[in-house]
Amino acid sequence: MIVKKVQPRILPGFMELMPADQIEFNRLRDIIRGTFELFGFAPMDTPIIEKSEILLAKAGGETEKQIYRFKKGDNDLALRFDLTVPLARFVAQNYNSLAFPFKRYQIGKVFRGERAQKGRFREFYQCDIDVIGDGELSLLNDAEIPAVIYTVFKNLNLGEFIIKINNRKILNGYFAALGIADKSTDILRILDKFPKINRDTILEELLSFTDNKTAGKILEFIDIKGDNEAMLAILKNLAVNEIFNNGVQELEQVVQNVKKFKVPDENIAIDLTIARGFDYYTGTIYETFLKNYPEIGSICSGGRFDNLAEYYTDKKLPGVGASIGLTRLFYQLKKAGLIKGERKSLSKILIVPLMEDLTVPLQVAAQLRENSIAVEIYFGTDIKLKKKFSYADKMKIPYVAVIGEEEIDKGMITLKEMATGKQELIQIEELANKFK
Amino acid sequence: MIVKKVQPRILPGFMELMPADQIEFNRLRDIIRGTFELFGFAPMDTPIIEKSEILLAKAGGETEKQIYRFKKGDNDLALRFDLTVPLARFVAQNYNSLAFPFKRYQIGKVFRGERAQKGRFREFYQCDIDVIGDGELSLLNDAEIPAVIYTVFKNLNLGEFIIKINNRKILNGYFAALGIADKSTDILRILDKFPKINRDTILEELLSFTDNKTAGKILEFIDIKGDNEAMLAILKNLAVNEIFNNGVQELEQVVQNVKKFKVPDENIAIDLTIARGFDYYTGTIYETFLKNYPEIGSICSGGRFDNLAEYYTDKKLPGVGASIGLTRLFYQLKKAGLIKGERKSLSKILIVPLMEDLTVPLQVAAQLRENSIAVEIYFGTDIKLKKKFSYADKMKIPYVAVIGEEEIDKGMITLKEMATGKQELIQIEELANKFK
């Protein structure tokens, strides 16, 4: 049968990794998941397809342009574009059967039909944690989120990083004092472009909303620098207005508590340029940066919101959370050479039988697997030994166990360490112990 | 701000679990993944959205009706409906950089817009393993797949199960001898309905393709029962024609090797009613059943195919694999009461501080987490102790650690085991050791 061929390829803006990179990707994802679980966050997994009316309850903006929306039968469907909207829907829907504070994590793919460009993806993993309160939520949660972020990035071992923290009330209070409270959202969106966009461009953009003097005041304000204590002292001294002071008080409490969560001082810094683009944040806001790779931009962001699910319920559900865009992060880490992706196999040992009767080799494999050691067998006695070793080499399988008639008679196997080339004869029973 | 509410709900045919069930679901998924990795399968994660021309390269049938297909800009897109077609595309696309035999697993959601009915899902997890050869692939792989399936279901601990095995060549050879080779696919689809559909209905359906005598011969053939040795003896004795004999020979080899893979005899049985609906299978085929829950139907199926990627490449890529439909399986296990889903939290300990200053409680939490013990802290000193215990109870967190001023002075905490109500004073330094 002759079949017409379709050229095998994927769509632009979609990430598909080769096994070696996928192994690394999964390693990072497992560390993130494990850390979330250590902090008592429960897993959640919402559908990828939801009703359009749910996902677009808050209409307008980029979302509507980017969302993948389609009909199937009479249903108006869409693919989730983040994990926050599904969380809001979930909590509203299951309000009566949840225990609050509700702590959940979700790691899953989300979809945005953005303009294709390097390093931007249309399908990407988000790793989210959120704590949702019923009516109210202790500010201690705002301090626990940076503790989780800190532990995640410490465990990921990607080098020095810093969690930058701010509070929306400080910014909003300051803007109110300048008489531009009504332009808050626009100004925040501009500030959010820091540090990707330079000061001059920021100034230019500010001038389309405010006069020269006000823009100057804004830049002067976000230029305030210093360690956390100094920053808090300056902010307290400014005492702009009630909402501002309220924000400063919250920020002080959060920063003090973050310390008690054992986050070292050098990993958390008050930074007034941190604004976050989304308008649902109402208090604490975070961004995280790798110190040696500022060009990567924020690798984990989040904040406090007063009312998670207002489009689905009358209940007031305040929350605080953070999100890691893992696909983009992985892409950037790979580009920066921070991730190599060399192991093409998870196998610790390649078993190479030299005889037809596989009874003993398969017994050895079963025994190793019972001891949680990942093992692969190279089938085919007609294939040259050299080819089998080169397979192990190519796949970066660290050990090859050669099993021949002669060895079996003595209850032994030959174990070769691929990195050193070192060979040893080893008792079959001893093999599992060696790798445990 | 008054916001118009949208009723929070998901679409019919989509599974969304509460945290307690999600914890169980993830536990099963982790066991499956871990077992796949022990056998040397490497992870893969293809995009959920692909070009429609890729997914529909093999056109026709149910697929075209069920697929979620839509346009975004000029792109004709679709959601993957299985993990096999993306694997075929992947191997064809990356042929030059892969080492063969290529062993991969993929666990991910697939989408089929089927008619909604109980226990059928439009979005569901598949857990697939496949081994792909370049030009040829040793029959030993056909024996390794049941070994993986056996280990998965042994580890899942869902009670007794049996892997039923057959070979398409035997069926096709038999049909050819009956002069109905051209109706093979239709007949296989009918037989595939066993054991869900009873004998009379099968006969009736067969009669729309064959005469009474032939239908009788088919039923007589698939009725042959016996242990594996007896079955092989009968089949060898029948010696219908070359393709039949070839199938019997393969089946014998596979069954013998499955034994060497340490799969107990009671877990593998030759069964001539096993047919599989898909026409791409060419040799060995498998289905797996829970012995005490036959009504659940097959929980893991697969088989050998001669040519994986014929729609994308001229290379001949034979393979063998198996797939678990985890969403449906979970639904059925839950319905059968085999899965309870009681733990609403992964936390081992709930820490309850009795004082304002959280320095010590947070230190205790950090210390426990460093020892990989999942811990949650109940914030809020104004909340009654009783409410905190009832939270632990509701969430099924097994231990509560109460930390008060008095205890701290002695470097102690009070640990309560929720199941027994037993309380003990314990040294803070000893706490982590107790749970390691």
Side-chain angles (χ1 to χ4, degrees):
Chain A
M1 184 171 62
I2 292 166
V3 170
K4 197 177 152 268
K5 308 292 180 225
V6 177
Q7 195 196 336
R9 52 183 174 171
I10 57 170
L11 290 152
F14 287 72
M15 180 185 268
E16 180 171 79
L17 301 173
M18 296 298 285
D21 281 333
Q22 193 65 52
I23 286 170
E24 275 303 292
F25 187 93
N26 289 5
R27 190 179 63 79
L28 301 189
R29 197 178 52 190
D30 288 345
I31 290 172
I32 294 170
R33 173 185 167 188
T35 309
F36 289 171
E37 292 185 351
L38 274 184
F39 279 82
F41 289 83
M44 212 167 94
D45 185 11
T46 64
I48 281 173
I49 305 178
E50 297 232 19
K51 283 169 178 281
S52 293
E53 62 168 10
I54 292 287
L55 298 184
L56 295 171
K58 181 186 172 176
E62 284 297 284
T63 305
E64 215 144 341
K65 262 182 274 168
Q66 295 183 349
I67 198 165
Y68 288 97
R69 183 178 179 177
F70 51 93
K71 287 219 157 199
K72 180 87 183 168
D74 294 333
N75 291 319
D76 182 359
L77 311 172
L79 306 186
R80 65 184 182 207
F81 55 86
D82 74 2
L83 302 175
T84 309
V85 173
L87 170 65
R89 191 262 310 140
F90 179 90
V91 177
Q93 184 178 340
N94 300 295
Y95 174 83
N96 289 316
S97 40
L98 294 176
F100 291 92
F102 176 60
K103 295 176 80 174
R104 83 87 180 81
Y105 76 88
Q106 183 166 5
I107 297 176
K109 284 180 173 177
V110 303
F111 302 82
R112 293 183 197 169
E114 304 197 64
R115 200 164 51 82
Q117 61 189 110
K118 258 198 174 165
R120 304 292 283 178
F121 294 94
R122 290 170 171 168
E123 172 180 306
F124 57 98
Y125 277 94
Q126 283 199 330
C127 312
D128 279 25
I129 41 166
D130 290 279
V131 189
I132 311 298
D134 182 12
E136 52 177 10
L137 183 70
S138 161
L139 202 62
L140 283 158
N141 292 289
D142 297 51
E144 190 176 47
I145 298 293
V148 182
I149 300 174
Y150 166 74
T151 312
V152 165
F153 287 99
K154 197 187 64 169
N155 292 345
L156 286 175
N157 194 25
L158 303 169
E160 289 179 70
F161 61 92
I162 189 146
I163 303 163
K164 294 190 175 179
I165 188 166
N166 195 4
N167 191 300
R168 269 283 175 89
K169 287 173 187 152
I170 296 176
L171 296 174
N172 287 333
Y174 192 79
F175 299 155
L178 291 175
I180 49 165
D182 56 321
K183 286 158 188 161
S184 237
T185 308
D186 300 307
I187 312 264
L188 289 169
R189 281 221 180 100
I190 296 168
L191 298 187
D192 187 47
K193 298 179 182 172
F194 255 132
K196 271 169 281 173
I197 284 175
N198 68 32
R199 220 187 127 85
D200 288 349
T201 319
I202 296 281
L203 177 63
E204 206 174 289
E205 293 199 12
L206 285 176
L207 288 178
S208 63
F209 292 101
T210 68
D211 57 30
N212 224 313
K213 197 184 144 202
T214 312
K217 285 256 181 198
I218 294 171
L219 286 179
E220 196 182 299
F221 179 67
I222 62 169
D223 272 347
I224 300 172
K225 302 283 172 218
D227 63 22
N228 293 343
E229 245 172 277
M231 292 291 283
L232 286 168
I234 295 166
L235 291 170
K236 273 195 253 184
N237 202 37
L238 279 175
V240 173
N241 54 24
E242 205 188 323
I243 177 151
F244 181 96
N245 295 348
N246 190 226
V248 173
Q249 205 183 7
E250 283 186 12
L251 186 60
E252 182 172 32
Q253 269 191 53
V254 171
V255 168
Q256 280 171 357
N257 281 318
V258 167
K259 226 181 158 84
K260 289 184 184 161
F261 268 102
K262 301 281 143 207
V263 176
D265 282 348
E266 67 260 33
N267 292 102
I268 181 107
I270 297 172
D271 186 328
L272 299 174
T273 67
I274 298 306
R276 305 291 292 115
F278 301 119
D279 54 6
Y280 54 78
Y281 290 115
T282 48
T284 314
I285 41 182
Y286 328 94
E287 301 267 18
T288 313
F289 298 88
L290 292 176
K291 278 191 193 161
N292 302 321
Y293 300 88
E295 69 277 14
I296 291 181
S298 177
I299 55 176
C300 176
S301 328
R304 152 80 70 152
F305 34 88
D306 270 346
N307 206 354
L308 174 70
E310 58 177 335
Y311 295 96
Y312 316 111
T313 178
D314 287 324
K315 303 278 177 215
K316 203 189 162 206
L317 301 166
V320 62
S323 178
I324 302 170
L326 186 56
T327 301
R328 191 178 151 273
L329 175 61
F330 187 86
Y331 171 85
Q332 296 283 7
L333 293 174
K334 180 98 182 139
K335 214 176 106 188
L338 274 167
I339 275 185
K340 295 286 191 294
E342 285 174 341
R343 287 187 63 191
K344 289 181 183 161
S345 166
L346 289 164
S347 300
K348 194 97 187 150
I349 307 173
L350 179 73
I351 293 182
V352 173
L354 297 182
M355 63 296 220
E356 282 292 333
D357 182 359
L358 293 181
T359 309
V360 176
L362 291 178
Q363 205 171 329
V364 172
Q367 192 194 331
L368 287 166
R369 288 176 186 136
E370 266 167 39
N371 285 284
S372 301
I373 301 154
V375 181
E376 218 168 304
I377 304 164
Y378 202 116
F379 297 127
T381 39
D382 49 327
I383 298 159
K384 287 207 179 94
L385 194 58
K386 205 177 146 185
K387 196 177 166 191
K388 293 171 186 173
F389 276 107
S390 102
Y391 173 84
D393 193 48
K394 196 173 172 188
M395 301 297 281
K396 304 280 175 216
I397 300 174
Y399 291 89
V400 174
V402 179
I403 309 187
E405 303 276 9
E406 234 176 276
E407 283 102 334
I408 284 179
D409 287 345
K410 297 183 224 147
M412 312 282 272
I413 60 123
T414 304
L415 187 71
K416 181 175 175 177
E417 189 179 2
M418 294 301 287
T420 60
K422 214 187 86 187
Q423 280 193 200
E424 58 175 326
L425 260 174
I426 188 165
Q427 288 283 342
I428 286 177
E429 293 93 69
E430 282 307 304
L431 194 57
N433 285 330
K434 195 184 156 75
F435 288 95
K436 254 202 279 195
Chain B
M1 183 172 64
I2 291 166
V3 169
K4 199 178 151 269
K5 309 293 179 223
V6 177
Q7 196 196 336
R9 52 184 175 172
I10 59 171
L11 290 153
F14 287 73
M15 179 184 268
E16 180 171 81
L17 301 173
M18 295 298 284
D21 281 333
Q22 192 65 52
I23 286 170
E24 276 304 292
F25 186 95
N26 289 4
R27 190 178 64 78
L28 301 190
R29 196 178 53 190
D30 288 345
I31 290 172
I32 294 170
R33 173 186 166 188
T35 309
F36 288 172
E37 292 185 351
L38 275 183
F39 279 81
F41 290 83
M44 211 168 94
D45 184 12
T46 64
I48 282 172
I49 305 178
E50 298 232 18
K51 284 169 178 282
S52 293
E53 63 168 10
I54 292 288
L55 298 184
L56 296 170
K58 181 187 175 180
E62 283 299 283
T63 305
E64 214 145 341
K65 263 183 271 167
Q66 295 182 350
I67 199 165
Y68 288 96
R69 182 178 180 178
F70 51 93
K71 286 219 157 198
K72 181 86 183 167
D74 294 333
N75 291 318
D76 182 359
L77 311 173
L79 305 187
R80 66 185 182 207
F81 55 85
D82 74 1
L83 302 175
T84 308
V85 173
L87 170 65
R89 191 262 310 142
F90 179 91
V91 177
Q93 184 178 341
N94 300 294
Y95 174 82
N96 289 316
S97 41
L98 294 177
F100 291 93
F102 176 59
K103 295 176 79 174
R104 82 87 180 81
Y105 76 88
Q106 182 166 5
I107 297 176
K109 285 180 173 177
V110 303
F111 302 82
R112 292 183 197 170
E114 305 197 61
R115 201 163 51 82
Q117 62 189 109
K118 258 198 172 168
R120 304 290 285 178
F121 294 93
R122 290 170 171 167
E123 171 180 307
F124 56 98
Y125 277 93
Q126 283 197 333
C127 311
D128 280 25
I129 42 168
D130 290 279
V131 189
I132 312 298
D134 182 12
E136 53 178 8
L137 182 70
S138 162
L139 203 62
L140 283 159
N141 293 288
D142 296 51
E144 190 176 46
I145 298 293
V148 182
I149 299 174
Y150 165 74
T151 313
V152 164
F153 286 98
K154 196 187 64 167
N155 292 344
L156 286 175
N157 194 25
L158 302 171
E160 288 179 71
F161 61 92
I162 189 146
I163 303 164
K164 295 190 173 177
I165 188 167
N166 196 3
N167 192 301
R168 268 283 175 88
K169 288 174 186 151
I170 296 176
L171 296 174
N172 286 333
Y174 192 80
F175 299 155
L178 292 176
I180 49 165
D182 56 324
K183 287 162 188 158
S184 235
T185 308
D186 300 308
I187 312 263
L188 289 169
R189 281 221 180 99
I190 296 168
L191 298 187
D192 188 46
K193 297 179 185 173
F194 256 134
K196 269 169 283 175
I197 283 176
N198 67 32
R199 221 187 128 85
D200 289 349
T201 319
I202 297 279
L203 177 61
E204 206 175 289
E205 293 199 12
L206 285 176
L207 288 177
S208 62
F209 292 100
T210 68
D211 57 30
N212 225 314
K213 193 181 149 206
T214 311
K217 285 255 181 198
I218 294 171
L219 286 178
E220 194 183 300
F221 179 68
I222 63 170
D223 271 348
I224 299 172
K225 302 283 172 220
D227 64 21
N228 293 342
E229 244 172 279
M231 292 291 282
L232 287 168
I234 296 166
L235 291 170
K236 274 194 256 188
N237 202 36
L238 280 175
V240 173
N241 54 24
E242 205 188 325
I243 178 151
F244 181 96
N245 295 348
N246 190 226
V248 174
Q249 203 182 10
E250 283 187 12
L251 186 61
E252 181 171 33
Q253 269 191 55
V254 172
V255 169
Q256 280 172 356
N257 282 319
V258 167
K259 227 181 159 82
K260 290 185 184 159
F261 267 102
K262 301 282 143 205
V263 176
D265 282 348
E266 67 260 33
N267 293 101
I268 181 107
I270 296 172
D271 185 328
L272 299 174
T273 67
I274 298 304
R276 306 290 293 117
F278 301 117
D279 55 6
Y280 53 78
Y281 290 115
T282 48
T284 314
I285 39 180
Y286 328 94
E287 301 267 16
T288 313
F289 298 89
L290 292 177
K291 277 190 194 162
N292 302 321
Y293 300 88
E295 69 277 14
I296 291 182
S298 178
I299 55 176
C300 177
S301 328
R304 153 80 68 154
F305 35 89
D306 270 346
N307 205 354
L308 175 70
E310 57 177 336
Y311 294 97
Y312 315 110
T313 177
D314 287 324
K315 303 277 175 213
K316 201 188 163 206
L317 302 166
V320 62
S323 177
I324 301 170
L326 185 56
T327 300
R328 191 179 151 273
L329 175 61
F330 187 86
Y331 171 85
Q332 297 282 7
L333 293 174
K334 179 96 184 143
K335 213 176 106 189
L338 274 168
I339 275 185
K340 295 285 191 296
E342 284 173 341
R343 288 187 62 191
K344 290 181 181 160
S345 167
L346 290 162
S347 300
K348 195 99 187 148
I349 307 174
L350 180 72
I351 292 182
V352 173
L354 297 181
M355 64 297 219
E356 282 293 334
D357 182 1
L358 293 181
T359 310
V360 176
L362 291 178
Q363 206 171 329
V364 172
Q367 193 195 329
L368 288 166
R369 287 175 186 137
E370 266 167 39
N371 286 284
S372 300
I373 300 154
V375 181
E376 218 167 305
I377 304 163
Y378 202 115
F379 297 127
T381 38
D382 49 327
I383 299 159
K384 288 208 178 95
L385 194 57
K386 204 177 148 185
K387 197 176 165 192
K388 293 171 186 173
F389 276 107
S390 100
Y391 173 84
D393 194 49
K394 196 172 172 187
M395 301 297 281
K396 304 278 175 219
I397 300 174
Y399 291 89
V400 174
V402 179
I403 309 187
E405 303 277 9
E406 235 176 277
E407 282 103 334
I408 285 178
D409 288 344
K410 295 183 226 148
M412 312 281 273
I413 60 123
T414 304
L415 187 72
K416 181 173 174 176
E417 189 179 3
M418 294 301 288
T420 59
K422 212 187 88 189
Q423 279 192 203
E424 58 176 325
L425 260 174
I426 189 165
Q427 287 284 342
I428 287 177
E429 294 93 71
E430 283 307 306
L431 194 57
N433 284 331
K434 194 183 157 78
F435 288 95
K436 255 203 280 195

